[in-house]
Amino acid sequence: MSRIKELIREKCPVGVEYKKIADICLNICSGGTPNSKNESYYMNGTIPWLRTQEINFGEISTTERLI
C-alpha cells in the first residue's frame, strides 16, 4: 500500500472525495524544488515529492522521489 493510501486510511477513516487537480486549481506551476545536487535532502526521505514531469493530469498514486 502506498504511503498516501496509508495516510488517507489513518486520517480520513470515512474516505475522501477525489478530484482532478485541474478541477481545483486555477494555475498549476513548478518551482521550489529542493536542490537535487544535495543528496541529503533525498536520502531516506518519507515525503512524496511530485515533479513536473510526473504530472499527466490523471490519478497520482506514487512519486519517483521522496524528500
Side-chain angles (χ1 to χ4, degrees), residues 23-48:
D23 291 341
I24 59 173
C25 294
L26 295 176
N27 184 20
I28 300 170
C29 59
S30 63
T33 303
N35 188 339
S36 60
K37 292 179 183 175
N38 187 339
E39 284 298 318
S40 68
Y41 292 150
Y42 300 93
M43 295 174 63
N44 302 315
T46 59
I47 302 168

Side-chain angles (χ1 to χ4, degrees), residues 45-61:
T46 59
I47 302 168
W49 188 260
L50 183 65
R51 298 179 302 154
T52 305
Q53 60 264 40
E54 295 177 88
I55 297 173
N56 63 6
F57 296 97
E59 183 176 320
I60 299 167
S61 58

